[in-house]
Amino acid sequence: MKFTLSWLYDHLDTSATLAEICARLNQIGLEVESVENRGAAVAPFLTARILEAERHPDADRLQVCRVDAGPGFENVQVVCGAPNARAGLPVIFAPPGTYVPGLDITIKAGKIRGQASGGMLCSLRELGLGEESDGIAELPDDTLPGQSYADFAGLDDVVIDIAITPNRGDALGVRGVARDLAAAGLGKLRPWLASAVEGTFTSPVVWENTNLPACPLVLGRTVKNVKNGPSPEWLKRKLESIGLRPVSALVDITNYFCFDLGRPLHVFDVNKVAGGRLKVCQGAGETFRALDGQDYIVTPDDCVITDINGVQSLAGIMGGEASGVSDETTDVFIECALFDPVRIALSARRAGVSSDSSYRFERGIDPAFPVAALEAATRMIMDLCGGEASEVVSAGEAPAWQREATLRFARVRDLGGLDVAADESVALLEKLGFEVQERNETEVRVSVPSWRNDIAQQPVLSQGQELDAALATAAAQGVAQIEAESDLIEEILRLKGLDSIPAVPLPALSVVPATALTPKQTRLARAGRILAVRGLVETVGFSFVSHEEALRFGGAPEALRLLNPIASDLDQMRPTPLVNLVAALQRNSARGRSDIGLFEAGPAFSAEGQQMVVAGVRGGHTPRYPGHESQAVSLWDVKADALDVLTQLGVSPDALSTVADAPSWYHPGRSGLLCQGPKTVLACFGELHPSILQAAGIDVPVVAFEVFMDRLPEPKVRKKSAPKLSAFQPVHRDFAFVVSRDVPCENLLKAVRNAERNLIVAVNLFDLYEGAHVPEGHRSVGIEIVLQPVDKSLTDAEIEAVSERVVAAVSKVTGAVLR
């Protein structure tokens, strides 16, 4: 919200300095974002008058001018190339040493084509204040030479920009800001009264309202025989100071009221309204061209204003080009309406447009102000454009906005932390426009002013369906009372100064502070450290992806599709972090970084809900080491990643089994699942499906894994004891079994483990072979077992007995034979 200091003075009678005003704005919650002195950059420029202008003797397009720029510059020779330079013309003069912001140069006295030039005659574009022009700026004929151009043009007015929180729609007008400052003791609010304009004829345009939920009340009146044209200088300067471009008097008046009083208005050209009737209704899929020159399609959820020719306005957001006013407008119809904030916000988002009008309607405007605003706008149009006003026409009724709130004086101290006397609390509320209805020693009941839509509003509660109806009603009433009282406390603390509230530490919940992280959060962080140690780089991705990408990873239900995405390619909740990781790997590969490993610990979404997943990808080739050749990444690399995460988080590798049936985004023959028991899938791994890589434009090998953190069993709390270390050396034995290719190696390894649990402490797969000396359809599986005696060294006979039990167990379970 921008306004100038002089504009603020229109509503606030104060002697406070700029620094005091900015400090008080910050104290009362209207945070100052910037303070701009537009006149500082053009202060050195002077008003001047060209005394003589003669053609340059050595240049066809240059003129030698004699200029009077006031004391010290009464007769300065300036060489100028502007085609409109002529004797008697009032101009803008830049003396030597002046910095010209539009050209980024500093003026120096010198010679141009042999003729002395002691300054520069400027255009507004060169001052950084206007658009491209064909010559120098021409000032009014009565301009006196020697004035500072900043003072002459009113550019010495400071512009203040404040941040407005969404609940403070009343502060989106200069008068609302002035009201807050006056209530905070920084001056007195000037009176404002709209004088009524008596209608002298019946309006040729009337209202019809069939969309009362979106527009409870709409007013209007016709002003005929107006003369539209440029606005007066005071109005132009006000709008230009806050960055608005003056258009015409009729349009500028509506913009003025939008920022001055926070009251959006719109004007229609009566001669362009067909049928003499404007209808407030729902859209029906029509397309209309708005004042910004863009075409918009309206839906039944949008509130529009139509005539018999179609849509003329997207109500509360932007008017239509077809019925807009122009310099030829002679009869104008003024619209002043109340619109539902939520519907305006949704319509603006659907259309992808935000206007000064919609910005205010979304945050709530004064529901008791339309009549006064219409009278004030009518009066200004007649003062600036002439004309004659009709009677007011309307449709709908003003909503019941009256609300009350009760404040217990002790709650200001107990809840707000600041001890404020009861009389002072009441006085502060009255300064803000609250009226006392009833008061006693402990509390006060006040009525809320119409412009404070954020105070004592009925809260929206999401109560359980199983809750008793009487209890639910009582709870809702209690919440409404508490919320309203909290609103009043906030207003009192705001006016006292938010910086005056003492800092008080929260009471400790216990002597020993609680843990900062839950066990699940701790495990998630530890998983990240494990993968980082394994050489993977952590990434952080959006939980939103494109619908097409989600489809490729098997999860794009409509229930998880966003209706209002932040970008068109982020319209679906991701089914797995692999979507983001594959995209990141593709970007790195395209830039020559194809040998890379990435991981992310984050949420994944499905129809069943949200779960935390640690996912990783490896692309390209493994690093080269002395004596070790680089190889393409394989599914064994990511299986090792997933296994390392699971085992270090407390999952016993003996409890895991490897099976096929990985998700569809993995290669069907080069992937697998790590399961605990028959149904619990803890992780999946393998090569990515070729279609995934082709769609992503990746031409290097890529393998991936996913660990489902929410499915990991909770670690059991066990009393740790000293490890039992055997004094005897372990015994290593290798076996090679010939087994059918259809038999999973996991079955063979389990059979070995179960053969002798007391002595076998480790079973490792070290070789797979198919070829000569192995029957067709079979393979040789090489395993190593480690025997660890505890009480005594093993004899050869005991070792041989264990070996026989191993061979027998493997043969019984898998049908394998010793090679």
Side-chain angles (χ1 to χ4, degrees):
M1 171 64 188
K2 289 185 177 182
F3 57 90
T4 63
L5 212 52
S6 64
W7 201 338
L8 180 67
Y9 292 155
D10 290 346
H11 295 280
L12 183 67
D13 184 4
T14 181
S15 58
T17 64
L18 173 64
E20 291 172 336
I21 290 174
C22 291
R24 192 59 56 89
L25 286 171
N26 285 325
Q27 290 172 354
I28 62 177
L30 302 178
E31 182 182 356
V32 176
E33 293 195 317
S34 66
V35 177
E36 178 188 4
N37 186 354
R38 299 186 308 139
V42 297
F45 294 87
L46 303 173
T47 60
R49 185 180 297 274
I50 300 177
L51 303 176
E52 297 177 0
E54 297 179 354
R55 182 176 176 180
H56 194 291
D58 298 323
D60 293 339
R61 297 185 179 182
L62 297 180
Q63 297 188 71
V64 180
C65 303
R66 290 286 177 181
V67 177
D68 177 12
F73 303 99
E74 292 87 350
N75 191 8
V76 181
Q77 180 171 298
V78 178
V79 177
C80 179
N84 61 330
R86 60 187 182 274
L89 179 66
V91 292
I92 303 172
F93 173 70
T98 301
Y99 174 73
V100 182
L103 300 178
D104 193 23
I105 61 172
T106 300
I107 300 301
K108 298 179 180 179
K111 290 186 177 183
I112 300 178
R113 294 288 185 93
Q115 296 292 320
S117 183
M120 177 180 177
L121 304 183
C122 304
S123 67
L124 293 179
R125 181 189 65 82
E126 291 163 341
L127 270 65
L129 299 176
E131 300 176 355
E132 187 68 49
S133 63
D134 295 329
I136 56 177
E138 299 185 12
L139 303 182
D141 292 336
D142 58 352
T143 302
L144 297 177
Q147 303 177 67
S148 169
Y149 181 72
D151 296 338
F152 170 82
L155 298 176
D156 56 342
D157 203 1
V158 176
V159 179
I160 302 173
D161 187 7
I162 60 176
I164 304 297
T165 52
N167 65 310
R168 291 302 307 278
D170 64 298
L172 288 172
V174 180
R175 185 165 182 82
V177 177
R179 183 188 295 115
D180 262 20
L181 287 172
L186 209 66
K188 184 178 180 181
L189 186 66
R190 298 182 187 274
W192 185 91
L193 182 64
S195 59
V197 177
E198 185 177 353
T200 59
F201 62 96
T202 301
S203 175
V205 178
V206 296
W207 285 113
E208 180 182 352
N209 190 351
T210 62
N211 195 359
L212 291 175
C215 178
L217 175 65
V218 59
L219 306 175
R221 76 188 322 170
T222 299
V223 182
K224 66 180 182 180
N225 299 327
V226 299
K227 182 175 177 56
N228 195 19
S231 297
E233 285 299 319
W234 69 266
L235 182 52
K236 286 183 178 179
R237 289 178 181 176
K238 282 188 182 296
L239 299 180
E240 289 172 343
S241 68
I242 59 174
L244 293 182
R245 181 178 61 88
V247 179
S248 66
L250 290 174
V251 176
D252 294 348
I253 289 170
T254 63
N255 287 333
Y256 170 77
F257 278 99
C258 186
F259 284 87
D260 185 62
L261 302 176
R263 172 66 248 191
L265 301 168
H266 184 62
V267 286
F268 296 90
D269 189 326
V270 172
N271 296 318
K272 297 178 182 178
V273 176
R277 180 181 297 272
L278 288 173
K279 181 179 179 180
V280 181
C281 58
Q282 296 175 301
E286 305 100 323
T287 300
F288 91 107
R289 177 158 295 181
L291 289 171
D292 61 358
Q294 302 295 318
D295 291 333
Y296 297 97
I297 300 176
V298 296
T299 71
D301 294 324
D302 298 318
C303 181
V304 298
I305 298 175
T306 67
D307 64 4
I308 61 174
N309 288 335
V311 177
Q312 299 301 325
S313 173
L314 184 54
I317 300 174
M318 189 173 294
E321 187 178 90
S323 58
V325 297
S326 64
D327 290 345
E328 289 73 36
T329 297
T330 58
D331 301 332
V332 63
F333 184 76
I334 312 169
E335 169 213 322
C336 183
L338 293 176
F339 295 108
D340 178 69
V342 175
R343 288 178 171 85
I344 290 294
L346 293 176
S347 291
R349 180 168 292 185
R350 274 191 295 271
V353 60
S354 178
S355 63
D356 293 324
S357 174
S358 66
Y359 190 80
R360 283 156 177 78
F361 279 122
E362 289 172 13
R363 286 152 180 79
I365 61 173
D366 188 344
F369 194 52
V371 174
L374 182 60
E375 297 288 356
T378 304
R379 178 64 65 187
M380 183 173 287
I381 288 176
M382 294 174 63
D383 290 343
L384 301 185
C385 304
E388 182 181 353
S390 74
E391 298 174 347
V392 175
V393 294
S394 65
E397 295 181 357
W401 56 266
Q402 293 81 2
R403 303 179 306 281
E404 292 185 346
T406 300
L407 170 68
R408 293 168 289 178
F409 299 125
R411 293 292 287 168
V412 179
R413 179 192 65 249
D414 298 340
L415 185 61
L418 198 62
D419 196 358
V420 182
D423 290 342
E424 186 179 4
S425 296
V426 173
L428 291 174
L429 292 176
E430 287 179 327
K431 288 180 180 179
L432 285 171
F434 294 86
E435 295 183 1
V436 176
Q437 302 298 313
E438 184 180 355
R439 177 184 174 181
N440 56 37
E441 294 181 357
T442 60
E443 64 183 31
V444 63
R445 180 167 55 86
V446 297
S447 60
V448 180
S450 59
W451 55 82
R452 290 306 300 269
N453 293 291
D454 59 319
I455 303 293
Q457 285 285 5
Q458 188 69 25
V460 179
L461 299 179
S462 178
Q463 297 178 316
Q465 296 181 354
E466 70 282 357
L467 190 63
D468 179 74
L471 184 59
T473 301
Q477 292 173 348
V479 170
Q481 182 179 355
I482 293 171
E483 287 286 339
E485 185 178 48
S486 299
D487 291 338
L488 297 182
I489 294 173
E490 181 183 358
E491 293 303 300
I492 294 171
L493 297 178
R494 204 169 54 81
L495 294 185
K496 290 291 291 183
L498 298 177
D499 56 346
S500 64
I501 301 174
V504 179
L506 293 173
L509 297 178
S510 64
V511 177
V512 179
T515 56
L517 298 176
T518 65
K520 285 187 177 181
Q521 292 172 325
T522 303
R523 287 194 299 178
L524 201 65
R526 187 178 177 192
R529 291 195 296 272
I530 294 168
L531 294 174
V533 170
R534 294 186 62 83
L536 276 70
V537 178
E538 185 173 12
T539 68
V540 178
F542 277 124
S543 292
F544 310 129
V545 296
S546 71
H547 183 71
E548 292 72 19
E549 288 176 324
L551 279 175
R552 287 195 286 271
F553 284 86
E558 285 299 316
L560 295 178
R561 195 161 186 177
L562 305 180
L563 297 178
N564 298 298
I566 59 175
S568 58
D569 59 344
L570 298 174
D571 60 345
Q572 185 79 38
M573 304 299 289
R574 69 181 184 186
T576 170
L578 285 181
V579 183
N580 307 75
L581 292 172
V582 169
L585 190 143
Q586 185 276 331
R587 288 191 294 270
N588 280 274
S589 179
R591 290 161 176 79
R593 298 271 300 178
S594 56
D595 300 338
I596 192 172
L598 306 171
F599 80 93
E600 180 181 350
F605 303 88
S606 66
E608 288 73 31
Q610 173 182 330
Q611 63 175 329
M612 296 302 295
V613 176
V614 174
V617 293
R618 291 184 181 270
H621 295 75
T622 60
R624 293 185 296 177
Y625 298 101
H628 181 79
E629 295 182 358
S630 176
Q631 300 177 346
V633 294
S634 69
L635 64 92
W636 307 115
D637 297 317
V638 288
K639 181 181 181 182
D641 292 331
L643 275 173
D644 201 11
V645 171
L646 293 174
T647 54
Q648 291 203 46
L649 293 182
V651 179
S652 172
D654 295 339
L656 295 173
S657 59
T658 305
V659 298
D661 299 327
S664 60
W665 51 91
Y666 290 96
H667 193 295
R670 302 172 186 173
S671 58
L673 303 176
L674 293 175
C675 301
Q676 187 179 44
K679 295 182 179 180
T680 305
V681 177
L682 299 184
C684 50
F685 65 91
E687 294 184 13
L688 287 181
H689 197 283
S691 64
I692 297 289
L693 302 183
Q694 182 179 6
I698 299 175
D699 56 1
V700 297
V702 177
V703 291
F705 70 89
E706 297 164 272
V707 178
F708 307 107
M709 301 297 292
D710 293 340
R711 302 178 188 175
L712 268 61
E714 293 292 336
K716 296 180 180 179
V717 180
R718 295 177 179 176
K719 184 179 180 180
K720 293 184 179 180
S721 57
K724 294 182 179 180
L725 301 177
S726 175
F728 304 98
Q729 291 186 353
V731 178
H732 296 260
R733 285 291 182 268
D734 293 344
F735 297 83
F737 292 97
V738 176
V739 64
S740 174
R741 188 187 303 164
D742 298 334
V743 177
C745 293
E746 188 71 32
N747 295 352
L748 192 148
L749 297 176
K750 283 185 176 181
V752 173
R753 293 190 192 100
N754 294 330
E756 178 57 68
R757 288 187 172 274
N758 293 329
L759 288 177
I760 298 177
V761 294
V763 180
N764 301 314
L765 173 69
F766 68 85
D767 182 54
L768 290 173
Y769 171 73
E770 296 181 28
H773 308 296
V774 175
E776 183 71 22
H778 290 68
R779 60 184 171 182
S780 173
V781 180
I783 63 171
E784 176 197 39
I785 66 172
V786 181
L787 305 177
Q788 179 61 66
V790 178
D791 300 325
K792 63 177 183 175
S793 296
L794 297 176
T795 64
D796 290 343
E798 291 171 333
I799 295 173
E800 187 63 29
V802 171
S803 299
E804 292 176 358
R805 286 196 294 273
V806 168
V807 173
V810 170
S811 178
K812 179 180 179 180
V813 173
T814 65
V817 297
L818 192 66
R819 184 180 174 186

